Amino acid sequence: MERTLEWTHIIVHHTGAEEKDTEQVRSYHLSLGWQDIGYHFVIERDGKIVKGRSLSRPGAHCRACGMNFKGIGVALIGNLEFHPPLKKQEEALVHLLRSLGESFSIPVINILGHNEVPAANTLCPGRFLVMEQIREKVRAYSTSVNTQPQLYRVQVGAFSRKKNAEALAQKLRGAGFPAIIVSR
Ligand SMILES: [Zn+2]
């Protein structure tokens, strides 16, 4: 049965390896018996954005929270647990996130690193890809062209100790809410 996909999130990954290019990632995923590369877009080292699997099909990049069916999968080549993304890669990422966000009316808060998805137990996209900074850049980009939709955030608490924030976020996640912690 053909299922109509509605993209409400964008999930950011690193490939976790140092592939040469998108084709190498694709052949690896095909070797796993997958129908195609798992991501919808791959960003190579020179900042080139390469199309992965078609957006008319669910991805194979994040099973947690059913994100394969509602989250567009974007991956940067490299292991960003060990080194930061290259400048061109990061610029391409911000550009891609902004244009996907506009095309599919996805709010910036729904742009998540793989490990920010509740119950996704992973280091991906690596500690050198700081998602809060990426979202900040996408926001700055978006408001400069005034396309940001009005958003209503629900705030439930602010804590001076991160541990206490973690505890509340954990409770909310337990109740099924995708809580994330932002620091300022
Ligand atoms: Zn991932």
Side-chain angles (χ1 to χ4, degrees):
M1 194 183 75
E2 209 35 43
R3 152 174 191 163
T4 313
L5 293 162
E6 197 192 323
W7 301 116
T8 57
H9 291 69
I10 304 172
I11 309 301
V12 178
H13 304 263
H14 68 164
T15 61
E18 303 297 341
E19 295 92 344
K20 180 164 58 81
D21 56 15
T22 309
E23 273 322 297
Q24 197 181 338
V25 182
R26 190 190 303 268
S27 24
Y28 171 58
H29 287 180
L30 289 173
S31 80
L32 300 174
W34 299 2
Q35 294 162 324
D36 195 354
I37 188 169
Y39 311 113
H40 294 102
F41 295 93
V42 176
I43 301 176
E44 298 187 343
R45 286 186 185 77
D46 59 358
K48 191 166 104 187
I49 299 167
V50 181
K51 273 193 167 173
R53 78 169 52 190
S54 156
L55 277 171
S56 63
R57 304 174 64 178
H61 56 89
C62 179
R63 224 177 285 165
C65 294
M67 281 302 173
N68 279 332
F69 294 92
K70 54 186 184 183
I72 298 173
V74 174
L76 279 72
I77 285 187
N79 189 331
L80 306 184
E81 185 63 14
F82 296 143
H83 61 81
L86 292 164
K87 194 162 183 289
K88 281 188 173 168
Q89 259 182 321
E90 191 186 298
E91 282 169 3
L93 175 66
V94 171
H95 175 78
L96 178 64
L97 293 174
R98 183 196 67 120
S99 73
L100 288 174
E102 277 175 15
S103 310
F104 295 92
S105 302
I106 298 170
V108 177
I109 50 163
N110 284 6
I111 299 173
L112 301 174
H114 190 177
N115 60 6
E116 292 178 309
V117 177
N121 187 18
T122 175
L123 293 174
C124 177
R127 65 197 163 100
F128 284 103
L129 191 66
V130 184
M131 284 306 298
E132 194 47 47
Q133 283 175 13
I134 298 293
R135 279 188 291 268
E136 211 44 67
K137 285 181 182 171
V138 176
R139 256 182 220 117
Y141 215 122
S142 302
T143 43
S144 68
V145 288
N146 198 26
T147 52
Q148 183 85 326
Q150 181 69 49
L151 292 178
Y152 301 93
R153 289 182 182 226
V154 181
Q155 184 152 7
V156 289
F159 302 88
S160 53
R161 299 181 62 184
K162 182 153 190 215
K163 204 178 71 184
N164 296 339
E166 294 280 5
L168 179 57
Q170 209 52 50
K171 255 188 210 168
L172 287 165
R173 288 184 198 122
F177 299 105
I180 59 166
I181 294 171
V182 291
S183 57
R184 168 136 324 158

